[in-house]
Amino acid sequence: MLIELKNINKKFALGEKNFQALREISLAIATGEYVSIMGTSGAGKTTLIDIIGFLDRDYTGSYTFNGRDVSQMTENQAAQLRNTHVGFVFQNFKLIPNLSVFENVELPLLYAGKRRGETRPIVEEALASVGLANTGAKLPNQLSGGQQQRVSIARAIINEPDFIIADEPTGALDSGTSIEIMKIFQSLHRQGKTLLIVTHDPKVGQQAQRMIRLEDGQIVMDGRESNDSPRTD
Ligand SMILES: Nc1ncnc2c1ncn2[C@@H]1O[C@H](COP(=O)(O)OP(=O)(O)OP(=O)(O)O)[C@@H](O)[C@H]1O
Ligand SMILES: [Mg+2]
């Protein structure tokens, strides 16, 4: 199993009390799955994916990644996993404004130890795969929101990570642009990539094979939502 969480509990210190953000989360995700995580604001979605993405290791319960116990790792080992095994996509893209599109996409390769001279074909292929061939020289603010999100997807896939985490990837985009971005995720899924997408948008969530719903830090649904109410648009 790629990702296996057992009885994860997460508390935040809040003044003299604790606030429990995740309760007894048990979850297994296999390679190639396309999973959406839904739930109201404050349900614990970002808290959960921060744990899954090795950003937060301050919890109880067990997390086994590809057979390795994440909670027993040193900070360096966790950072290594973060840099090479997971790609992140954010609502507000988080591109570095003074680096070109090419340099933004190249950066994770350099962090992973590649030399500058060997990155060009890899970066160009990633940009082409998101429909942005010949855009490498531009700066992020010279692109539309949808194009910036494509750049951030290229950056997320550049190291061929085991899985991709996207937290509200269409939250800042209009509905037409959201559909374009969802097509890219569908195509990554067809290529066998493992995807975890957090979203408020049912249309986005329903594109996934598997939908997980969180409420008050608990999983209240995990499966396919097949008999949802009909769309009204
Ligand atoms: N650093 C923190 N300190 C204290 N409480 C926190 C902290 N981070 C998150 N929380 C609380 O944990 C709960 C879950 O937060 P989380 O960010 O995971 O929600 P979410 O489902 O991602 O919401 P949204 O849809 O608004 O992004 C919330 O009640 C939030 O206030
Ligand atoms: Mg969130």
Side-chain angles (χ1 to χ4, degrees):
M1 191 55 63
L2 185 68
I3 291 164
E4 198 159 17
L5 305 180
K6 283 200 185 129
N7 305 110
I8 297 285
N9 285 283
K10 167 74 189 179
K11 290 178 179 153
F12 288 110
L14 209 63
E16 306 201 333
K17 290 197 215 142
N18 283 327
F19 175 79
Q20 186 154 4
L22 295 176
R23 298 167 194 272
E24 296 296 323
I25 300 284
S26 293
L27 180 62
I29 298 172
T31 296
E33 279 199 88
Y34 183 178
V35 181
S36 65
I37 301 176
M38 301 198 59
T40 51
S41 184
K45 304 180 296 296
T46 298
T47 305
L48 177 60
I49 59 169
D50 281 353
I51 290 173
I52 295 176
F54 320 110
L55 292 163
D56 177 8
R57 293 188 306 132
D58 178 21
Y59 52 84
T60 65
S62 78
Y63 176 8
T64 314
F65 178 74
N66 257 335
R68 298 163 71 188
D69 182 347
V70 176
S71 57
Q72 295 300 310
M73 287 178 188
T74 64
E75 185 44 42
N76 276 343
Q77 289 170 319
Q80 170 76 10
L81 282 184
R82 218 153 46 223
N83 287 338
T84 55
H85 292 263
V86 54
F88 293 96
V89 176
F90 303 96
Q91 177 169 2
N92 296 315
F93 325 131
K94 296 202 184 179
L95 299 172
I96 299 177
N98 56 335
L99 293 184
S100 69
V101 164
F102 182 96
E103 290 165 331
N104 268 280
V105 176
E106 180 189 40
L107 208 53
L109 288 174
L110 301 178
Y111 284 142
K114 281 253 182 327
R115 282 176 291 112
R116 275 230 155 73
E118 53 191 6
T119 58
R120 181 159 293 277
I122 312 171
V123 173
E124 283 175 354
E125 194 195 323
L127 283 172
S129 77
V130 296
L132 288 180
N134 308 316
T135 315
K138 292 197 170 167
L139 288 171
N141 69 9
Q142 296 173 317
L143 302 180
S144 69
Q147 288 172 323
Q148 290 184 58
Q149 193 59 300
R150 286 163 188 259
V151 175
S152 85
I153 293 170
R155 179 183 58 183
I157 61 178
I158 193 82
N159 275 326
E160 299 191 19
D162 293 317
F163 65 107
I164 295 158
I165 288 179
D167 197 348
E168 290 284 357
T170 62
L173 305 175
D174 63 64
S175 61
T177 310
S178 296
I179 289 168
E180 283 172 29
I181 295 298
M182 294 319 297
K183 283 187 185 150
I184 294 178
F185 284 120
Q186 290 285 6
S187 119
L188 291 173
H189 173 54
R190 282 195 298 274
Q191 291 164 35
K193 307 273 190 222
T194 310
L195 305 172
L196 262 73
I197 298 195
V198 170
T199 182
H200 279 107
D201 183 343
K203 283 192 204 124
V204 173
Q206 280 160 8
Q207 295 234 354
Q209 285 175 313
R210 175 177 173 192
M211 197 188 292
I212 291 171
R213 188 174 295 279
L214 281 180
E215 291 304 336
D216 294 326
Q218 284 181 297
I219 294 179
V220 295
M221 190 207 79
D222 182 352
R224 279 174 184 278
E225 240 176 19
S226 48
N227 46 7
D228 220 37
S229 50
R231 292 185 185 174
T232 50
D233 55 335

